[in-house]
Amino acid sequence: MVLLNQFGTDMVACLFMVVMLPIVYIYELGTVLPTIHPAHTIGFYLHIVAATYVLATIFGNLFLILRTDTTTHATGVILPSILKKGWRFCSYCEYNAPPRSFHCHQCNKCILKRDHHCVFTGNCVGYANHRYYLSMIVWICLGTLYSNILNFDYTWEVLGGLTWRSLFSMVLPLVSWLFGVTHAFTFYVALVSSLCVIVFFLMVALVVYHSMLISKGQTVFELNHKIKDYNYGWKANITEALGKKLVFSMDQSINTITPPWKWNRLAQGHRS
C-alpha cells in the first residue's frame, strides 16, 4: 500500500499529526512533568515510561495502517472473471470487486470492505487495517486524556488563573498572541493545551462512532444506506472486524477474520 497518496490534503494532515505528536510528548515530559515530579524520582521515570509507551503504540499502529495492503488483491485470491451475485464491476480498476468493496478516488484503488478514507493517514480504512485504525484512535484518546490531566494545573498557573483573558488565550491562542494578549511562551502553553483538549473530544467521538459501527457489523457506507446484511451479533461482529486478539495489541494477524469471499454466504445464512 502506498504510504501517502499524492493529494495535498492528506500529506498536510498526516505531517501535522506526525509532527505534533512528538511536540506534545516533549512538552509534557520536558515542561510540565518537572513541575509535578522532580527529576530522577520514581514518579518522574514512571511517567516517562508511560508516555513513551503511548507514543510508541500510536506510531506503531500508524505504521501498520500505512504498511497494510487494504486493496481487493490483498488476500491473494484470484478475483473471478464472471460477475457473481453481490459483487460489482469497477470501471476504474476494470475487474470484479467482492461485496462491501468500493473504489477510492483518493487512493485510486478498490478497497476491500472499505470503511472510509482517513486524511490523517493518507490511506483508506478497510478490511485489513480496521483494527489498527481503531487501536490508534483509542491510544490517541488515552494519550490526550493523560496530557490534559497533567496540563490542568500547570496551564492555568501559566495563564494566570481562570479569567476571561486566559479563556481567550485557550480558545484562540494564535489570535491572542498576534494581538499581544499573551507572550510567546504563554502562547506555546495555550496552543498545546487547547490542542490536547480538542483532540481528546474529537477522538472520544470517533471511538464511540466506530465502535458502534463495528458492534453493528456496518461500515460508514452501510450505515448511511441502512444496510444491515452483515450483522451477526455484537460479539461475532467484533471478532469479524478485529479478530480474536486484543485490539490494543500491535501484533495482530488478520487470519482470524472472516474471508471476504464468504460474506455473501454468511449474510444469506443470517437472513434465513
Side-chain angles (χ1 to χ4, degrees), residues 132-146:
Y132 305 137
Y133 172 78
L134 182 63
S135 182
M136 183 184 72
I137 62 176
V138 165
W139 279 103
I140 294 176
C141 182
L142 293 175
T144 50
L145 174 62
Y146 173 62

Side-chain angles (χ1 to χ4, degrees), residues 92-241:
Y92 298 97
C93 299
E94 297 185 343
Y95 57 69
N96 296 327
R100 314 183 82 179
S101 302
F102 295 93
H103 186 87
C104 175
H105 294 284
Q106 286 94 334
C107 297
N108 197 29
K109 298 176 185 290
C110 274
I111 306 300
L112 195 59
K113 192 188 172 185
R114 183 178 186 269
D115 188 77
H116 69 283
H117 183 86
C118 176
V119 295
F120 287 98
T121 63
N123 279 271
C124 273
V125 176
Y127 166 75
N129 65 357
H130 205 160
R131 71 180 68 198
Y132 305 137
Y133 172 78
L134 182 63
S135 182
M136 183 184 72
I137 62 176
V138 165
W139 279 103
I140 294 176
C141 182
L142 293 175
T144 50
L145 174 62
Y146 173 62
S147 297
N148 287 323
I149 294 173
L150 289 180
N151 293 342
F152 188 80
D153 290 333
Y154 179 80
T155 300
W156 293 121
E157 181 181 347
V158 172
L159 295 180
L162 188 59
T163 63
W164 287 109
R165 182 186 183 124
S166 60
L167 289 174
F168 178 73
S169 300
M170 280 290 292
V171 175
L172 298 170
L174 181 60
V175 175
S176 64
W177 177 53
L178 291 175
F179 283 91
V181 178
T182 59
H183 300 293
F185 180 74
T186 309
F187 160 72
Y188 173 59
V189 172
L191 177 64
V192 175
S193 300
S194 60
L195 181 65
C196 288
V197 173
I198 293 170
V199 172
F200 170 70
F201 284 108
L202 177 62
M203 289 300 109
V204 168
L206 285 177
V207 169
V208 171
Y209 177 68
H210 286 286
S211 297
M212 178 198 68
L213 288 179
I214 290 173
S215 66
K216 292 182 178 181
Q218 291 179 304
T219 62
V220 173
F221 175 86
E222 290 164 353
L223 176 68
N224 293 335
H225 291 78
K226 299 181 180 180
I227 299 173
K228 302 180 180 179
D229 293 343
Y230 304 97
N231 187 357
Y232 315 128
W234 68 271
K235 288 185 179 180
N237 292 337
I238 292 173
T239 301
E240 188 274 325

Side-chain angles (χ1 to χ4, degrees), residues 4 8-19 118-122:
L4 282 173
T9 304
D10 287 4
M11 181 70 71
V12 171
C14 188
L15 287 177
F16 175 79
M17 183 174 70
V18 170
V19 170
C118 176
V119 295
F120 287 98
T121 63

